[in-house]
């Protein structure tokens, strides 16, 4: 069926596969199909969007499933966009002002995030005159260009999405936005690793040049030196701007080399896509698709919980009876821990 659909395409970009990591259907079937597509279409782009399970628990074996699935996807996918249920729930509650949150509400937030990146865009440089937009070139292979720009290294495939603004529709009429304000907040969301504009920690700062290890020291007169929390380092970022006067936005603050790992060339660190059409009722909106250290914390938590269960051999027999071995678990733990080490060492 997939082969027939691909053959109908005049210009085939690749596959976008949406799955969850908690249950058996999403994680098991989704990972298996991803592997099959890689075998059948070895030269096509494959982008996975995975939903990270709630920390409080959805399925008793969700931590096993997450580790097994992620380690498998890392072998056959070109890029993996992670969206965490806990953060999506907070967006619905704190930004959308929803009292009784359903999966439909959470899916609406997910679709907003994905559409803000995957809708048509053009390679238009902000700061140019508006007239030059008529000569701007559309992104011809959106999926391939996205992966090429944000996942340039095969050991770093995890991406996260940050949007601004996000609010209830009935609040839009009473809100105004400027590109300077949106980009200032979005940059701090990246630095402080915040999932939404509300509650951003403005105390997290980029290190001064004399302190290249990524930690921010702050000392008052007569006070002992103390170490602030580390800021969020990136491999690459894709900034997508949509709305009126997009050509007037100033992106110079995103070109700061301190935002990225030291070995990343400045010319490869940031990519900007733009479109003058407003998105989803927002006059101006900005999205940041970031390949950064954001997934380290949830990865650490899941691996630790899964390992604690595995050392007790809890529920392992449920996997062994379907042909898996304990070596599969050990290999998955090793692969996931290597991912954590890679990102932690940026």
């Amino acid at each position: 069926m997939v082969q027939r659909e691909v053959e109908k395409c005049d210009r085939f970009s690749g596959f976008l596969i949406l799955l969850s990591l908690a249950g058996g259907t999403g994680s098991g079937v989704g990972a298996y199909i991803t592997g099959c597509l890689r075998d059948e279409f070895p030269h096509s782009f494959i982008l996975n969007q995975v939903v990270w399970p709630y920390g409080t628990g959805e399925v008793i074996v969700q931590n096993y499933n997450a580790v097994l699935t992620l380690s498998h996807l890392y072998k056959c996918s070109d890029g993996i966009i992670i969206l965490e249920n806990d953060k999506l729930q907070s967006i619905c509650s704190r930004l959308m002002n929803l009292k009784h949150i359903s999966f439909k509400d959470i899916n609406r937030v997910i679709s907003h995030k994905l559409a803000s990146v995957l809708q048509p865009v053009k390679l238009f440089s902000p700061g140019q005159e508006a007239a030059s937009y008529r000569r701007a070139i559309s992104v011809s292979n959106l999926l391939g260009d996205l992966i090429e720009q944000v996942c340039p290294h095969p050991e770093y495939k995890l991406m996260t999405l940050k949007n601004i603004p996000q609010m209830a529709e009935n609040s839009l009429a009473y809100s105004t936005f400027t590109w300077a304000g949106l980009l200032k907040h979005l940059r701090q969301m990246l630095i402080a690793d915040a999932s939404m504009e509300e509650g951003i920690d403005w105390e997290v700062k980029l290190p001064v040049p004399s302190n290249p290890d990524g930690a921010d020291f702050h000392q008052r007169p007569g006070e002992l030196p103390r170490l602030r929390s580390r800021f969020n380092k990136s491999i690459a970022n894709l900034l997508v701007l949509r709305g009126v006067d997009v050509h007037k936005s100033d992106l110079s603050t995103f070109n700061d080399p301190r935002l990225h790992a030291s070995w990343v060339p400045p010319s490869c660190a940031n990519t900007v896509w733009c479109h003058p059409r407003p998105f989803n009722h927002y006059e101006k909106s900005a999205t940041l698709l970031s390949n950064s250290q954001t997934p380290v914390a949830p990865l650490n938590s899941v691996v630790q919980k899964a390992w604690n269960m595995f050392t007790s051999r809890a529920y392992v027999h449920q996997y062994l009876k379907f042909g898996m071995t304990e070596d599969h678990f050990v290999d998955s733990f090793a692969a996931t821990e290597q991912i954590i080490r890679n990102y932690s060492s940026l």
Side-chain angles (χ1 to χ4, degrees), residues 6-119:
V6 169
E7 289 174 351
K8 294 177 183 178
C9 296
D10 294 326
R11 178 182 291 171
F12 179 66
S13 297
F15 299 99
L16 172 64
I17 305 170
L18 289 72
L19 65 151
S20 66
L21 292 181
T25 304
S27 59
V29 177
Y32 176 74
I33 290 178
T34 302
C36 292
L37 291 175
R38 173 54 70 208
D39 292 338
E40 293 294 327
F41 303 90
H43 304 296
S44 298
F45 291 108
I46 296 180
L47 177 65
N48 287 91
Q49 183 265 304
V50 301
V51 178
W52 202 263
Y54 285 101
T56 53
E58 300 173 39
V59 182
I60 192 64
V61 291
Q62 66 178 34
N63 298 308
Y64 281 160
N65 290 342
V67 172
L68 292 167
T69 303
L70 196 62
S71 62
H72 180 80
L73 293 180
Y74 229 73
K75 299 175 184 177
C76 50
S77 178
D78 296 303
I80 304 169
I81 299 176
I82 293 178
L83 295 174
E84 301 175 51
N85 268 339
D86 287 316
K87 293 180 179 179
L88 297 170
Q89 181 98 5
S90 296
I91 290 173
C92 289
S93 175
R94 298 172 62 182
L95 298 184
M96 313 304 290
N97 297 322
L98 300 175
K99 303 301 181 184
H100 305 286
I101 301 170
S102 65
F103 284 119
K104 183 178 180 180
D105 297 321
I106 294 177
N107 285 336
R108 187 178 292 115
V109 174
I110 294 176
S111 61
H112 173 87
K113 287 180 175 292
L114 289 176
S116 67
V117 173
L118 297 176
Q119 284 199 355

Side-chain angles (χ1 to χ4, degrees), residues 149-215:
Q149 300 296 333
V150 190
C151 298
H153 194 292
E155 296 298 324
Y156 300 90
K157 297 183 179 182
L158 303 182
M159 296 174 281
T160 52
L161 275 168
K162 302 180 189 296
N163 289 83
I164 189 171
Q166 280 186 291
M167 61 177 61
E169 289 188 13
N170 54 11
S171 301
L172 284 175
Y174 309 99
S175 305
T176 57
F177 307 102
T178 64
W179 285 118
L182 291 176
L183 294 175
K184 178 182 178 181
H185 281 74
L186 188 60
R187 182 176 183 268
Q188 188 62 25
M189 288 169 64
L190 172 64
I191 294 172
D193 195 15
S195 59
M196 52 187 172
E197 60 267 33
E198 183 176 321
I200 299 176
D201 186 358
W202 292 92
E203 294 296 315
V204 179
K205 306 289 186 181
L206 290 176
V208 294
S210 59
N211 181 25
D213 64 350

Side-chain angles (χ1 to χ4, degrees), residues 214-232:
D216 179 23
F217 287 94
H218 181 72
Q219 184 180 7
R220 296 176 181 175
E223 184 183 34
L224 292 175
R226 56 193 175 94
L227 185 61
R228 283 271 176 86
S229 57
R230 290 176 60 89
F231 72 98
N232 185 35

